[in-house]
Amino acid sequence: MRFKKELDYVHLSKYFYMFSIALTILGIVFLAIFNLNYSVDFKAGSNVDVSLTKNLTADQIRTAIGGIGTDHEPNVTIGTQRVTIRYDQELTSEQDAELKSAIAKLDDKASFEVNTVDTEMAKELARNAIYAVLISCLGIIVYVSIRFEWRFAIAAIVALVHDAFMVVAVFSIFRLEVDLTFIVAVLTIIGYSINDTIVIFDRIRENLRFGKQKNYDDLKNLVNKSVSQTIMRSLYTALTVFIAAFFLLVLGGESIKMFSLAMVIGLLFGAYSSIFIASPLWLLLKKGQKSKGKPAKA
Amino acid sequence: MKRLLSFIITVLVLAAVMAVSTPGLLDRVRLGLDLKGGFEILYQAQPSEQGQELTRASLLQTAASLEKRANVLGTSEPEVTTEGTDRIRLKIAGVTDEAEVRKKMKEPAVLTFRSAAPGDPEGTYSKIELVGSDFVENAATIGRDNLNQIEISIKVKDKQKFAEITKRLLGQKLAIFLDETPLSDPIVNAVLTDGTASISGNYTIESARELADTINLGALPLKLTEKYSQSVGATLGKQSLDQTVRAGLIGSVFILIFMIGMYRIPGLIASFALILHTWLLILVFVLADFPLTLPGIAAFILGIGMAVDANIITNERIREEMRSGKSIMSSVKAGSKSSFRTVMDSNITTIIVAAVMFGFGTGSVKGFALVLIVEILLSIFTNLYFARWLLNMLVKAGKLSKPKQFGVKESEISAL
């Protein structure tokens, strides 16, 4: 299972940059217009997830839970032997109990998961999530700058922010629900993406020690060589983690479905960005240094 | 020969230990509420009266009284922790009447001093003489009297009322209740007119301290509001557990097949290291008594994918060295050496992210991050050191002499 890997990755990256930039713009537009499809974790309210032993219709559910005295009509989503009911307001514990007994009348083996979050808490969760992402980035910049050099750190950060944003963009475009586990997924993707990038950078650093790179072409060849030396590992690792995330998505519990989906999307972007975003970007930054230090022999 | 023997013994002994202990270990893993059913509530505490301050002591007291109440309601292992300056997180499993428990929990703690009303049977008190708010906030302290006995000093707001009560109940018992639980029943020894009193009796330092804290809490009860709640039905929890564990098992089997198919003998070693890794992770969870949550299992499964990365990096490097024409022995040496740094760097950066998640996360995020951190640390040991040690033993024993055993074709090797 070997394929032709002596490709000009730096040259190819041009197309991938265009793709990423296009998707970024699309993502920004969607985020600006539609924002994200937040779950109760981030916008306050109650989410009721019911596992049933038979299939019920949305009307049956609506009629049954009509009497619990909420101001707003809930959003009812029907799945196979499963119902998700979402309220934009927080259910009190009395309403919560009434709702459960109303549905239990339809199906006495129904099992519930209820999440209720108040507005202030929702804001705090979102704020903490953003802090977590920023601090992770900062930690990585510091570590990579110490172990490597700042150019690697910048390139790595751009790649990981790219990965995180791509997942956010995809979730916004397809209106997928964003809950607390989504944040966990994004953070894991960041961790994984940096892991992937470091492996390639490590090889670039190693190759830098042998031979002198006099001009841009030498550096470009070095990047291409380093990427092709590590590409099998990148693909295999991406594949193994992908296998894990994929089975979680297909067979795992309902409440981590969105998490798994975010992971699967993020992993694909993570593998791709290390090769086509981070490495060429480092080359670009390094080129600046070379041309400043020594006038390039054009 | 000796090396081969120690290789075989190591593998067999570990395999036997794992096979024997796993069923017992699995039974002892503590499941989180999302997997076994139960509910979790995050409360924000506020003083019930305006303008009063929330102290650390009163928060801890409130948490302790929540725990007592949960125990009284017959729930199994309630878990109450304080968070930040004004929050209490409550976790209860196996509740039948959730609405009732939630209502009971939210009621402020009620402190009462009661006397026996006419007709009360011996030892019961039904007439409420004083309530929590009659006491001066945070004025209950412990000290020692002239006879060096431990005593609790209290202060009431209304001197006249207190004088009247002590006069009426002179020589009788004035029992102290928190909610419906009697805490102590001291006897009134004197008529007290200055609004202060000392309670003495057979107290130890701890019991006196506890009583003083309770009186202080009763004087300043906290109002609790639910900020966040999650309740999971037991059936739903079980369903999530089964589905996710099955997904994990199938995913892991595919990863093992991939590793063996791709890297042959080193792949087999990596697979063994991976199984050991999983076993150790379960062991750590049991020993440290960490609860396993649904996001935790997800981290667990993803971490398996990440753990084999160490083996993939190392084995790819070894194969690269072999293809360049080096002998197997020196390929393994060089490959292990140069891949070590890569693996460490990539793992440390992942730990940084996981540590931030642990620091900033609450609930499920914390659970996820914890698994990830433990898992990465373990994988450095199993999939880096241990797998390499096993491989070295086999190579030195001369059992790995063909490139085919590494999944490298003869035709790929370039002559030196």
Side-chain angles (χ1 to χ4, degrees):
Chain A
M1 205 178 120
R2 302 198 66 203
F3 62 70
K4 206 173 145 259
K5 49 181 197 174
E6 310 300 328
L7 295 167
D8 187 348
Y9 298 100
V10 174
H11 178 73
L12 279 174
S13 70
K14 214 162 59 184
Y15 304 104
F16 289 102
Y17 265 90
M18 285 195 283
F19 169 72
S20 285
I21 290 169
L23 194 55
T24 306
I25 293 170
L26 193 66
I28 292 172
V29 170
F30 264 85
L31 275 176
I33 301 173
F34 302 108
N35 204 342
L36 282 167
N37 179 16
Y38 290 113
S39 80
V40 291
D41 286 348
F42 296 114
K43 67 167 191 195
S46 288
N47 190 74
V48 185
D49 208 3
V50 195
S51 163
L52 302 160
T53 51
K54 58 187 173 197
N55 283 321
L56 295 172
T57 66
D59 283 336
Q60 277 177 296
I61 300 283
R62 280 210 186 86
T63 322
I65 60 177
I68 68 165
T70 51
D71 308 333
H72 304 280
E73 270 294 295
N75 193 343
V76 179
T77 319
I78 301 284
T80 39
Q81 304 204 338
R82 215 169 173 100
V83 182
T84 304
I85 308 163
R86 218 168 104 167
Y87 288 94
D88 286 340
Q89 68 182 96
E90 299 148 48
L91 290 181
T92 63
S93 53
E94 289 79 26
Q95 287 170 330
D96 183 328
E98 276 175 52
L99 179 136
K100 282 180 184 167
S101 64
I103 292 181
K105 270 181 207 147
L106 295 174
D107 181 348
D108 59 2
K109 292 220 169 51
S111 188
F112 301 84
E113 170 165 354
V114 185
N115 283 285
T116 298
V117 182
D118 93 336
T119 326
E120 207 182 308
M121 198 64 206
K123 276 190 200 135
E124 191 182 305
L125 287 174
R127 198 171 52 229
N128 273 352
I130 292 167
Y131 282 156
V133 172
L134 290 180
I135 292 175
S136 302
C137 287
L138 207 68
I140 289 168
I141 290 181
V142 171
Y143 183 76
V144 175
S145 298
I146 292 170
R147 292 284 292 159
F148 294 78
E149 55 157 6
W150 65 269
R151 288 182 194 84
F152 284 112
I154 301 287
I157 292 296
V158 170
L160 74 84
V161 170
H162 163 269
D163 299 339
F165 186 77
M166 286 299 138
V167 180
V168 173
V170 170
F171 266 65
S172 173
I173 293 169
F174 294 101
R175 312 306 306 145
L176 300 167
E177 193 178 80
V178 171
D179 58 14
L180 200 54
T181 62
F182 176 80
I183 300 297
V184 178
V186 169
L187 288 168
T188 319
I189 290 162
I190 289 177
Y192 169 78
S193 159
I194 187 74
N195 186 308
D196 212 35
T197 308
I198 292 295
V199 172
I200 300 180
F201 281 2
D202 204 66
R203 193 52 83 90
I204 293 180
R205 181 175 63 173
E206 192 183 314
N207 287 335
L208 271 174
R209 286 198 202 128
F210 307 113
K212 289 200 167 65
Q213 291 75 37
K214 294 198 190 69
N215 52 31
Y216 175 69
D217 279 341
D218 285 349
L219 274 176
K220 189 177 123 178
N221 289 337
L222 180 130
V223 170
N224 277 334
K225 191 177 142 205
S226 306
V227 171
S228 64
Q229 279 171 338
T230 50
I231 193 153
M232 292 323 279
R233 173 267 153 196
S234 294
L235 291 180
Y236 293 157
T237 298
L239 183 70
T240 51
V241 186
F242 183 83
I243 292 173
F246 177 77
F247 279 104
L248 271 182
L249 173 66
V250 181
L251 301 171
E254 198 69 29
S255 39
I256 52 167
K257 274 262 146 73
M258 283 302 144
F259 166 85
S260 315
L261 185 62
M263 279 306 300
V264 167
I265 298 169
L267 285 172
L268 296 178
F269 279 111
Y272 140 89
S273 75
S274 307
I275 299 170
F276 295 111
I277 306 275
S279 310
L281 186 64
W282 175 81
L283 179 64
L284 205 69
L285 292 167
K286 193 75 181 171
K287 189 179 89 181
Q289 179 211 22
K290 285 277 165 192
S291 54
K292 227 190 279 167
K294 272 183 242 164
K297 295 177 204 162
Chain B
M1 201 55 214
K2 236 164 104 188
R3 289 199 174 100
L4 186 65
L5 206 64
S6 48
F7 174 87
I8 293 170
I9 290 173
T10 310
V11 171
L12 284 182
V13 167
L14 282 174
V17 168
M18 287 192 277
V20 170
S21 61
T22 304
L25 271 183
L26 286 179
D27 284 342
R28 285 173 55 200
V29 172
R30 190 153 65 91
L31 295 177
L33 292 178
D34 52 352
L35 296 176
K36 69 175 171 191
F39 70 86
E40 177 174 344
I41 302 172
L42 184 67
Y43 291 108
Q44 174 131 33
Q46 281 165 312
S48 12
E49 280 162 57
Q50 286 278 310
Q52 278 172 331
E53 231 174 294
L54 177 67
T55 60
R56 179 87 198 136
S58 62
L59 189 70
L60 288 174
Q61 264 306 304
T62 309
S65 90
L66 275 185
E67 192 166 348
K68 269 185 208 143
R69 279 191 225 177
N71 277 322
V72 169
L73 288 166
T75 59
S76 69
E77 320 160 34
E79 228 182 282
V80 185
T81 44
T82 58
E83 268 173 33
T85 53
D86 61 349
R87 292 202 179 138
I88 299 173
R89 188 179 291 272
L90 168 76
K91 293 181 188 174
I92 303 183
V95 177
T96 39
D97 191 351
E98 190 193 312
E100 175 67 14
V101 173
R102 275 169 83 168
K103 206 176 114 218
K104 277 268 159 55
M105 287 294 160
K106 246 186 352 194
E107 284 164 7
V110 182
L111 176 79
T112 46
F113 276 47
R114 306 177 190 184
S115 64
D120 273 358
E122 175 72 26
T124 56
Y125 310 89
S126 64
K127 185 163 187 273
I128 294 174
E129 301 285 357
L130 290 163
V131 295
S133 56
D134 287 332
F135 295 89
V136 176
E137 296 88 30
N138 276 324
T141 51
I142 62 166
R144 283 174 191 275
D145 64 10
N146 306 338
L147 298 167
N148 205 23
Q149 274 219 332
I150 295 163
E151 61 171 21
I152 302 154
S153 319
I154 52 172
K155 224 180 244 172
V156 292
K157 288 173 187 158
D158 189 342
K159 288 177 197 169
Q160 255 129 43
K161 186 176 172 190
F162 197 49
E164 184 271 316
I165 293 169
T166 47
K167 196 170 163 189
R168 179 159 46 83
L169 295 177
L170 194 61
Q172 293 177 38
K173 281 182 175 175
L174 185 61
I176 306 167
F177 279 75
L178 186 67
D179 297 330
E180 289 308 313
T181 319
L183 301 174
S184 186
D185 53 355
I187 295 168
V188 179
N189 284 329
V191 178
L192 303 159
T193 51
D194 62 351
T196 61
S198 306
I199 307 169
S200 54
N202 257 334
Y203 297 116
T204 61
I205 292 265
E206 288 85 50
S207 65
R209 158 82 48 216
E210 203 177 319
L211 189 55
D213 285 344
T214 310
I215 293 169
N216 283 334
L217 168 74
L220 181 58
L222 299 178
K223 203 176 88 193
L224 299 175
T225 19
E226 290 183 9
K227 301 300 278 181
Y228 171 89
S229 70
Q230 182 189 33
S231 77
V232 180
T235 322
L236 197 65
K238 180 84 173 56
Q239 206 176 342
S240 301
L241 178 67
D242 292 346
Q243 283 174 340
T244 313
V245 167
R246 197 183 56 193
L249 283 177
I250 296 176
S252 307
V253 167
F254 271 85
I255 291 173
L256 296 187
I257 291 173
F258 169 83
M259 288 301 286
I260 297 170
M262 187 56 73
Y263 300 108
R264 309 299 156 86
I265 307 287
L268 211 57
I269 291 175
S271 301
F272 184 72
L274 198 62
I275 294 169
L276 179 68
H277 169 253
T278 309
W279 180 78
L280 280 175
L281 189 65
I282 297 172
L283 186 70
V284 168
F285 266 70
V286 168
L287 291 182
D289 200 28
F290 292 145
L292 191 65
T293 58
L294 194 54
I297 297 182
F300 192 34
I301 295 168
L302 281 173
I304 287 177
M306 289 187 175
V308 289
D309 184 43
N311 300 105
I312 293 179
I313 292 175
T314 311
N315 288 325
E316 277 299 318
R317 197 68 199 235
I318 292 173
R319 295 211 308 195
E320 210 182 309
E321 302 285 346
M322 282 166 78
R323 288 192 188 109
S324 72
K326 280 190 187 151
S327 74
I328 290 184
M329 183 81 89
S330 56
S331 296
V332 169
K333 228 181 221 165
S336 305
K337 203 175 143 221
S338 48
S339 57
F340 181 79
R341 205 183 45 198
T342 314
V343 174
M344 286 309 263
D345 273 338
S346 63
N347 278 334
I348 289 170
T349 43
T350 311
I351 288 183
I352 292 176
V353 177
V356 171
M357 275 197 257
F358 188 76
F360 267 82
T362 45
S364 59
V365 179
K366 252 197 166 68
F368 180 89
L370 184 67
V371 176
L372 207 56
I373 294 172
V374 174
E375 195 155 29
I376 294 170
L377 293 177
L378 284 179
S379 84
I380 291 175
F381 167 68
T382 56
N383 292 53
L384 199 59
Y385 284 103
F386 180 69
R388 174 177 306 175
W389 182 68
L390 283 183
L391 187 64
N392 273 334
M393 265 204 286
L394 271 193
V395 171
K396 283 184 185 151
K399 288 292 149 192
L400 283 176
S401 50
K402 297 189 197 77
K404 236 176 85 183
Q405 291 166 314
F406 288 82
V408 175
K409 290 191 196 106
E410 301 276 356
S411 59
E412 291 170 355
I413 299 172
S414 53
L416 258 180

